[in-house]
Amino acid sequence: MDLQVSMGTKFKAVVVSLFLSSLLFPLVFSGSTDGLLRFKLKKRTLDQNNRLAARLESKEGESLKASIRKYNLCGNLGESEDTDIVALKNYMDAQYFGEIGIGTPPQKFTVIFDTGSSNLWVPSSKCYFSVACFFHSKYKSSSSSTYKKNGKSASIHYGTGAISGFFSQDHVKVGDLVVKNQKSFRTRIHTGDPCQEFIEATKEPSITFVVAKFDGILGLGFQEISVGNAVPIWYNMVKQGLVKEQVFSFWFNRDAEEEEGGEIVFGGVDPNHYKGEHTYVPVTQKGYWQFDMGDVLVGGKSTGFCTGGCSAIADSGTSLLAGPTTIITQINHDIGASGVISEECKAVVAQYGEMILDMLLAEAQPKKICSQIGLCTFDGTRGVSMGIESVVDENSGKSSAGLHDVMCSACEMTVVWMQNQLRQNQTQERILNYVNELCERLPSPMGESAVDCNNLSSMPSVSFTIGGQVFDLTPEQYILKVGKGPAAQCISGFIALDVPPPRGPLWILGDVFMGSYHTVFDYGNLTVGFAEAA
């Protein structure tokens, strides 16, 4: 799950606008003749009423932080005893989660399997003063014969709340696999035991956790972003020999007419869940499952944003597909999505638009234009507000650092948009009109952009180049539908998130992308693979 988390080298954020809605159904188990243990899942469709809680939640935090979620910053299946399949529940086609057990006997918890974080946490029986804890399963250490005390404090901060508590250690059951004594890395060094910690959450003050249908998070990222340097549970599954191959894979079922929500397979891949061959790319930076991504195309045409390459992560815990505001705004414009008008953006175009165009035509350095016209300072990597008063507030005499930063960001986006239009030999009038249209498409405070459900058939595809292959998303794949019939609303699956250097700019390929492309996380070879989902 994730709302904006801030923890050392990372920060998380939960997509509250899309996954706070639906009731959990019990898992239904069924046998299999192929040696795999399969869990059949049921799911519910989107419900407009469920978005109300998300809107209430957004008022608790900053606009973008309330919209997204986190960040700062191979082969065939093995034998049945070497692989395990964990069923995933489908939550509004926006979040997928499954059931684990902690302790002896196992205490059951519903968790999001999140490749964008690395810690395991669940509510604690010692959570007395957070309303959220009364609506979820709680770990009771006194009921487990294998519990071992740790007590080290831990906290993860979100844009609209936080969870805090302390580390403990115990056995964790994932499917039929039992990972023993989840302890700390430090303990393992001294004892030689294969182990890792988990967090007992004693405070969950955010309304997000009250209405959420999951109990906790099971992180599948790398130890480099683990809070408290705790060893991720996947590391211990490998170290304890519980899986034959150092691979796990995700299949999300996006078919709203089917009850099955998806599967995560530990130790291999299920060939029934993909078509053709996977395209593998190397992990470029351990922490998230990060890799290099090529061009971004709309309707088969380059947006010009990633011609020099971009970085991306495959994140099962993010509902939507997130990217830099500049290009996401352009994509939402091209697909006909509407956001909230940004007066600051339009003010930049009105006052500086022609000047920016002239400077681009004079072959000025694009990255320095905004500092040269006085809206930003340039530190060698990005624009930083230098305190220029917003033209919107000139008459009132008001000024704020937030508005200054908006003016600087608006200028930087305007330069990119104009540069792309100049490449297409557009006239000055057309360019200025186009950039003003993009200003109107800037994301709303919730980060959402809506489209007319009747226009899906005329919307363009949006594509991403990974490993030299083009991965297309059709409108049916990148649009999320809320409700049915005349009351239905359609939400763009593209949302803006600006991750600052050195970690960013960064694209987050969440469930919108992973729902269309079966994803393999190869820990042994440090690669990520994508193939068309079946």
Side-chain angles (χ1 to χ4, degrees):
M1 121 195 198
D2 290 330
L3 280 179
Q4 207 120 38
V5 179
S6 196
M7 192 70 207
T9 59
K10 70 164 187 172
F11 64 89
K12 297 196 67 143
V14 186
V15 183
V16 296
S17 63
L18 289 174
F19 73 113
L20 301 177
S21 89
S22 164
L23 296 175
L24 290 180
F25 286 91
L27 292 172
V28 179
F29 301 94
S30 69
S32 174
T33 60
D34 61 1
L36 301 177
L37 176 62
R38 299 183 181 278
F39 299 76
K40 298 297 183 182
L41 306 174
K42 292 185 177 182
K43 61 183 178 182
R44 279 192 176 178
T45 56
L46 300 175
D47 183 349
Q48 173 63 39
N49 294 330
N50 295 320
R51 300 176 66 218
L52 175 60
R55 296 191 178 280
L56 293 173
E57 176 64 24
S58 70
K59 296 178 181 179
E60 297 182 10
E62 300 173 8
S63 59
L64 278 180
K65 291 180 180 179
S67 306
I68 289 226
R69 287 196 332 124
K70 41 190 175 229
Y71 317 107
N72 177 2
L73 327 110
C74 313
N76 295 323
L77 285 166
E79 299 302 320
S80 59
E81 64 268 24
D82 297 318
T83 62
D84 200 50
I85 296 177
V86 176
L88 299 176
K89 287 180 178 289
N90 181 338
Y91 189 63
M92 292 182 59
D93 273 344
Q95 285 288 332
Y96 296 80
F97 39 85
E99 189 175 81
I100 66 169
I102 301 180
T104 306
Q107 300 172 41
K108 295 181 180 180
F109 298 93
T110 300
V111 297
I112 291 177
F113 290 87
D114 182 15
T115 59
S117 67
S118 300
N119 290 87
L120 168 62
W121 68 264
V122 296
S124 172
S125 62
K126 298 179 175 62
C127 179
Y128 304 118
F129 303 110
S130 294
V131 175
C133 290
F134 291 96
F135 292 92
H136 295 93
S137 300
K138 296 179 286 292
Y139 173 76
K140 189 173 183 180
S141 59
S142 61
S143 297
S144 174
S145 62
T146 48
Y147 161 76
K148 293 185 179 179
K149 183 178 179 179
N150 180 298
K152 181 177 62 177
S153 62
S155 64
I156 302 177
H157 299 273
Y158 297 85
T160 55
I163 67 101
S164 61
F166 56 89
F167 282 101
S168 290
Q169 58 195 57
D170 207 333
H171 292 185
V172 176
K173 185 176 182 181
V174 181
D176 276 354
L177 305 179
V178 178
V179 186
K180 299 181 178 180
N181 292 330
Q182 302 302 331
K183 306 178 189 175
S184 69
F185 181 67
R186 299 180 187 86
T187 304
R188 182 170 60 83
I189 290 177
H190 294 300
T191 65
D193 295 333
C195 38
Q196 171 220 327
E197 302 162 322
F198 71 97
I199 298 172
E200 289 192 50
T202 56
K203 291 183 179 179
E204 298 180 38
S206 173
I207 191 176
T208 300
F209 301 118
V210 175
V211 295
K213 297 301 179 183
F214 55 85
D215 299 316
I217 306 290
L218 190 155
L220 291 169
F222 292 92
Q223 189 174 359
E224 280 77 359
I225 58 170
S226 176
V227 173
N229 198 37
V231 177
I233 192 169
W234 168 248
Y235 283 41
N236 281 331
M237 293 171 74
V238 172
K239 291 179 183 296
Q240 295 178 23
L242 300 179
V243 291
K244 182 177 181 180
E245 294 185 58
Q246 297 183 30
V247 171
F248 59 89
S249 54
F250 276 85
W251 171 66
F252 293 146
N253 187 358
R254 305 287 282 188
D255 189 340
E257 300 303 317
E258 294 186 13
E259 294 182 344
E260 191 173 10
E263 291 178 346
I264 176 173
V265 178
F266 290 105
V269 298
D270 187 338
N272 294 316
H273 290 326
Y274 65 90
K275 302 175 185 177
E277 300 295 327
H278 287 83
T279 296
Y280 285 92
V281 287
V283 172
T284 56
Q285 184 171 350
K286 292 172 67 177
Y288 308 117
W289 288 85
Q290 184 172 328
F291 52 91
D292 289 334
M293 186 179 77
D295 205 359
V296 179
L297 307 96
V298 178
K301 296 182 179 179
S302 171
T303 58
F305 188 84
C306 287
T307 52
C310 286
S311 292
I313 66 173
D315 186 355
S316 62
T318 292
S319 300
L320 306 183
L321 197 158
T325 301
T326 303
I327 184 61
I328 291 297
T329 301
Q330 184 175 329
I331 291 174
N332 279 332
H333 170 272
D334 291 343
I335 68 174
S338 301
V340 173
I341 296 175
S342 169
E343 292 300 327
E344 287 81 6
C345 180
K346 299 189 78 172
V348 167
V349 177
Q351 186 164 343
Y352 302 102
E354 293 184 9
M355 184 186 305
I356 293 172
L357 269 176
D358 289 341
M359 295 176 74
L360 285 171
L361 289 169
E363 298 184 352
Q365 294 186 45
K367 291 185 177 180
K368 293 189 176 182
I369 287 178
C370 294
S371 62
Q372 290 170 350
I373 64 177
L375 288 180
C376 303
T377 57
F378 186 75
D379 64 3
T381 56
R382 69 175 298 274
V384 180
S385 169
M386 60 182 294
I388 302 298
E389 188 172 24
S390 168
V391 291
V392 176
D393 284 339
E394 276 183 350
N395 295 332
S396 63
K398 295 179 181 178
S399 176
S400 71
L403 286 176
H404 299 154
D405 289 335
V406 169
M407 295 293 285
C408 177
S409 297
C411 178
E412 291 176 325
M413 288 189 288
T414 298
V415 170
V416 173
W417 293 334
M418 288 184 172
Q419 195 176 14
N420 191 43
Q421 288 295 293
L422 284 172
R423 292 193 187 104
Q424 301 177 35
N425 296 317
Q426 298 290 341
T427 64
Q428 175 176 304
E429 180 181 5
R430 174 67 188 110
I431 292 174
L432 292 175
N433 288 337
Y434 176 75
V435 173
N436 269 310
E437 290 176 6
L438 290 183
C439 286
E440 295 181 4
R441 306 289 183 177
L442 285 170
S444 71
M446 282 294 296
E448 296 175 355
S449 293
V451 301
D452 187 338
C453 294
N454 295 319
N455 294 338
L456 262 65
S457 61
S458 62
M459 292 181 192
S461 62
V462 179
S463 310
F464 300 85
T465 305
I466 302 172
Q469 299 293 320
V470 177
F471 294 83
D472 297 320
L473 293 178
T474 65
E476 291 76 17
Q477 291 171 323
Y478 64 68
I479 295 297
L480 286 84
K481 200 168 187 177
V482 181
K484 294 182 177 181
Q489 290 187 352
C490 288
I491 305 299
S492 168
F494 302 105
I495 193 164
L497 179 65
D498 293 305
V499 180
R503 180 66 78 168
L506 192 65
W507 287 80
I508 296 90
L509 306 187
D511 299 345
V512 164
F513 187 86
M514 291 177 61
S516 300
Y517 293 99
H518 180 267
T519 307
V520 177
F521 298 84
D522 191 329
Y523 177 75
N525 294 310
L526 289 180
T527 58
V528 183
F530 302 100
E532 182 182 355

